[in-house]
Every structure is written in C-alpha cells, then in structure tokens.
Amino acid sequence: MVLNSSAAISRLDTIYRNILLSKFFVKGWGNPENMKKIFKFRKIISNRNTCQHLVSSDHPVYIDRKVEQTEHYKLYEGHFWSPLVDYLHDLVPKESHRAHFQLIVPTKWPSDYLRPLCIQLAGTGDHNFWRRRNFMAKPLIKDYGIGSIILENPFYGLRKPVNQNRSNLNNVSDIFIMGGCLILETLALLHWAEKMGFGPLCITGISMGGHNASLAATSWHKPIGVVPCLSWTTASCVFTQGVMSGSIPWQVLQSQYLSYGKDDKDELKKLIHSPETINIEEIIDAGRTFAKSSINFNSMLSELNMSLGSYLEKLFPKSSKSSQSSANQSSTAADKPVNPDEVKRDTFHFMRGIMDECTHLANFTPLIDPELAIIINARHDAYVPSEGVMPLTNIWKGASVRYLNRGHVSAILLDNDVFRKAIADSLHLNATKYYGRGLFDGNNDGNELKKKEKANSGG
C-alpha cells in the first residue's frame, strides 16, 4: 500500500486547491430515484459478461473531417452517439448525448502490421482536446509511433450542460453518469478501432481520467493495456479524504440527506456495496489525520459546523412544536434532538458508500490480463490519498505500479514523459504476448497477420 501520511502530502497540492474557488455538487446528491437507477445499472455495467452486450460491435462511429496532415501525423475529428442514452436517456444531459473525439495517427506507422493505438480519457477540468493532443498524443507519435483517440468527456467542452459552471458538476449523481457514459463510449471506440485495423490497444487517463480508464478497461472482453495515472482503487478517497473534499458544499448535502424519506434512505443503503473492510471509525480517523495538514479541509469542517447549526436552527426552531414533533415522529423519544455530529457522520458515510458503490474497482470484473496494467502513483498525492484504501494491485493481480516521488499537481506538470513511457511499455507487452512480436522489433513477417487475427478474436 502507498502511504500518504499527513506529514508527507504535497504542499503544492494543498495550496493549489485552496486557490481554486470552484465548488462541486452545488445542487446536492441528485434525485433519489435517479440514484436508484444508477446503482441498479452499475450492477449490469460492472459485470463484463453483461456489459459487453450493451454496446454493439457495429455501433456507428463517424469520421467527420480531416483537420490537419503533416509530415509526422494525420489528425481527424469524429462523433458518435453515446450508448448510455439507450439505457438511461433521462439521466444523460441532452448536450452529452453526442460524443466527440479526435483521432491522431502517424503518417507512416513504424511497423507493417502493428498499428498501436491509445484511447485517452480526460481528467478533471480537461475540456476539449488541446492539452491531451499536444502533451500526450503528439509526443507518443514522435517518440513511439503510437496513435491516439482523444475522447471529449460528457459534461465537458461541447458536451457541457448549459446550466453547469465550468467543470463543476451540479450533482453527485452526475459523476456516475459521466463514468457510465465513458465506459460504454470507450467500448464503442474499441470495437471501431479493431474494425479499422488498429492494434494493440490501450486505455489511459490522468487523475479522474485514469480512474475512468480503469473502469472502461475492466469491461472489455479481451486483453487490453491500461495505464491509470495518478488514480487509485476508488474515487471515495478523493471526495472524503483528499483536498477535493474542501470543494464540496457539505451543508447542502447534509440538508438534502436529512430531507430524504426513511424509505428512500433505506433503499439506497441496501443498493450500496463497499468492498472496503475498514469500519467507519477508521475511515473518519484517516480523514482527521489527513485534515491536520490540509488548511482547506479544516476550514471546510469549520464552515460545515457553523452552517449545520444554522440549518438545524431553521429546520427545527425551538418555538415550533409542530415542526419538532413532525421531525421526530419516527423516534421512540418524541423530543429527541437531531445530533449534528451524527448527521455529519451519516452524510460522510453515505458519500463514501455511494462513491465506493459506483467507482470501487473491486465492484467490477477484474481485467482479462492484469499484467498489461501499469499504474502510475504519486507518493505524496493530496488529491488521491491512499490511506485506508484497498491497494489496486490486490484486485488486479499481476499489475505493476510505478511510483513518483511527487504530489498530484507537480506530477501532472512534470511527468508526462513517464506517463507516455508507461503507455508504450504496456502496448509493447501486449504486442509481445498477443501479437507475436514486440512493438519495437521492426517489421513483422507475414505470419503476424494470423497472430493478430487470433488476438482480435479473443483467442
């Protein structure tokens, strides 16, 4: 397990997060009925045997135009319709129904028969294509002859809902819809890439993009490379322990949680499955440990305490006996007050639970070949802390981890070459194991086509 002790987390991560004024989930959890649909669909999409039937191998993917051609690469733009719309139409914003992507490939492939391709998913705040195209895709072509598909995230760029401010998702449920879209959209692109003769294939992303890449890779029914950069086993630690927790309006979430009916709460809790074996006290202790070195997290807790007290005063005014009686009608003690600490704990636990339910990789079928997974982890990551979290290598037996002696922000700024090398290594291993020769072994002989055909058929 990677240790992100409070003494070792990146100061830059904490400062950078404090500078940002953005708030996520400002409209709360989302409709409870929508949450129930998401949790039920998660059990389908996380099982590879059922998920592979959600996307047709002939799902239409369109190349709209060639944007640019140089001596080194060709750049195209394309689109297709998100397969998730067929299943959760009302939950996917209409602006996100159409998926946009760029395809950038070498003008001349380094091998006669191998056309390695990497699907790149976006991290938080990475709108459109510019950053991934210039910092990842073009150098991958220049240094390794690897092409890329750069997919625009739902809720981002051309797919951003009109009522959303920048990258700030309105509801907690939005992040699960985003993930569901990306899993099925990646499957559609993998089918298309195979038909177009690309291979071996890999999926990657940084931060949130890395975690979504991991989720998508588990759903593919053949061996595939995956390089999750600066992500880990679950997103729950990001929003309950990491510095991102300070960007969440906890008072709004607590208010809504209190307003949910008992039946809704009970049903939602029954649908939640957290693979973590640690108890809630240990989770909270880990959060407190982390908070000692996070100014933003401490100020958030202070703000949360004040706003909760104000909220409870408005909700249960002392002069209103009818309100107090109504609020406590399900209690054996009619005058039992609402305990702010219990409300905070329940809300925290609920957030941890629903994040684990929809994003914990132990809830998803393991990779076909975990050896093709190369995980990049930052030892001092304050955005994705690893304390109290099941190691990803416990789930993907045989996967390897490469550690950076940095924090989250500095790794994004300075270690793109490390990410690209891992992508190349994963594709090289894939080619060696399933295509008969390595990625950089020169031109292949004619028998390579048969080996490639066999690999693409799942044999």
Side-chain angles (χ1 to χ4, degrees), residues 37-87:
K37 291 178 185 177
I38 291 168
F39 294 165
K40 289 174 181 176
F41 192 73
R42 196 283 300 164
K43 299 182 191 310
I44 299 171
I45 204 171
S46 62
N47 184 318
R48 185 161 51 240
N49 292 330
T50 51
C51 184
Q52 64 179 298
H53 299 296
L54 298 177
V55 181
S56 167
S57 60
D58 295 318
H59 189 86
V61 175
Y62 305 98
I63 294 294
D64 300 322
R65 67 189 185 105
K66 181 190 283 186
V67 178
E68 183 182 7
Q69 179 165 350
T70 71
E71 178 186 352
H72 303 291
Y73 64 83
K74 293 179 281 188
L75 176 65
Y76 303 87
E77 286 184 349
H79 79 278
F80 59 100
W81 297 100
S82 179
L84 190 66
V85 177
D86 294 338
Y87 306 100

Side-chain angles (χ1 to χ4, degrees), residues 172-354:
V172 176
S173 58
D174 290 345
I175 202 165
F176 306 138
I177 293 298
M178 176 190 285
C181 282
L182 289 170
I183 289 172
L184 298 191
E185 289 166 15
T186 301
L187 296 188
L189 288 171
L190 288 170
H191 282 302
W192 178 79
E194 282 196 341
K195 284 196 301 182
M196 297 299 291
F198 296 114
L201 303 173
C202 179
I203 315 172
T204 192
I206 300 172
S207 193
M208 180 181 71
H211 195 77
N212 283 321
S214 296
L215 297 174
T218 66
S219 302
W220 186 239
H221 59 289
K222 301 176 185 179
I224 189 166
V226 57
V227 180
C229 305
L230 310 181
S231 66
W232 200 229
T233 313
T234 174
S236 64
C237 58
V238 175
F239 296 105
T240 60
Q241 290 173 242
V243 291
M244 282 286 287
S245 59
S247 69
I248 297 174
W250 290 96
Q251 65 276 16
V252 174
L253 298 182
Q254 290 180 24
S255 169
Q256 288 190 4
Y257 185 76
L258 279 173
S259 71
Y260 281 177
K262 184 177 183 302
D263 289 344
D264 278 333
K265 285 181 186 175
D266 289 346
E267 188 174 351
L268 285 168
K269 286 178 180 177
K270 286 177 183 176
L271 292 170
I272 291 172
H273 171 63
S274 174
E276 297 295 338
T277 57
I278 54 178
N279 62 41
I280 187 60
E281 288 293 342
E282 289 173 325
I283 295 171
I284 292 173
D285 285 343
R288 286 176 183 147
T289 299
F290 185 85
K292 288 177 182 176
S293 60
S294 174
I295 298 169
N296 201 30
F297 193 82
N298 281 328
S299 64
M300 178 273 293
L301 286 175
S302 174
E303 176 190 358
L304 186 148
N305 283 326
M306 289 188 291
S307 58
L308 179 63
S310 173
Y311 166 74
L312 291 174
E313 212 172 285
K314 291 177 183 177
L315 189 62
F316 306 117
K318 293 179 181 177
S319 60
S320 176
K321 292 183 181 179
S322 60
S323 288
Q324 191 78 347
S325 174
S326 173
N328 295 311
Q329 61 184 352
S330 61
S331 175
T332 54
D335 297 325
K336 181 182 177 181
V338 174
N339 186 326
D341 290 333
E342 287 182 6
V343 175
K344 285 191 291 184
R345 176 169 296 193
D346 284 352
T347 305
F348 179 92
H349 194 190
F350 189 63
M351 173 67 89
R352 180 73 185 251
I354 64 173

Side-chain angles (χ1 to χ4, degrees), residues 7-27:
I9 65 166
S10 167
R11 181 83 177 153
L12 176 60
D13 287 357
T14 305
I15 293 171
Y16 182 76
R17 183 61 245 176
N18 286 335
I19 291 172
L20 298 179
L21 300 176
S22 55
K23 290 284 185 183
F24 288 79
F25 315 142
V26 292
K27 295 186 179 179

Side-chain angles (χ1 to χ4, degrees), residues 61 63 75-80 100-105 109 116-122 129 132-133 136-137 140-141 146-152 185-194 196 198 201-205:
V61 175
I63 294 294
L75 176 65
Y76 303 87
E77 286 184 349
H79 79 278
F80 59 100
H100 302 269
F101 69 92
Q102 286 191 343
L103 169 70
I104 181 168
V105 296
W109 295 94
L117 188 76
C118 182
I119 296 178
Q120 296 189 39
L121 305 185
F129 311 106
R132 284 172 287 163
R133 186 177 66 241
M136 293 293 287
L140 278 172
I141 288 177
I146 295 170
S148 294
I149 291 176
I150 309 169
L151 178 61
E152 175 88 281
E185 289 166 15
T186 301
L187 296 188
L189 288 171
L190 288 170
H191 282 302
W192 178 79
E194 282 196 341
M196 297 299 291
F198 296 114
L201 303 173
C202 179
I203 315 172
T204 192

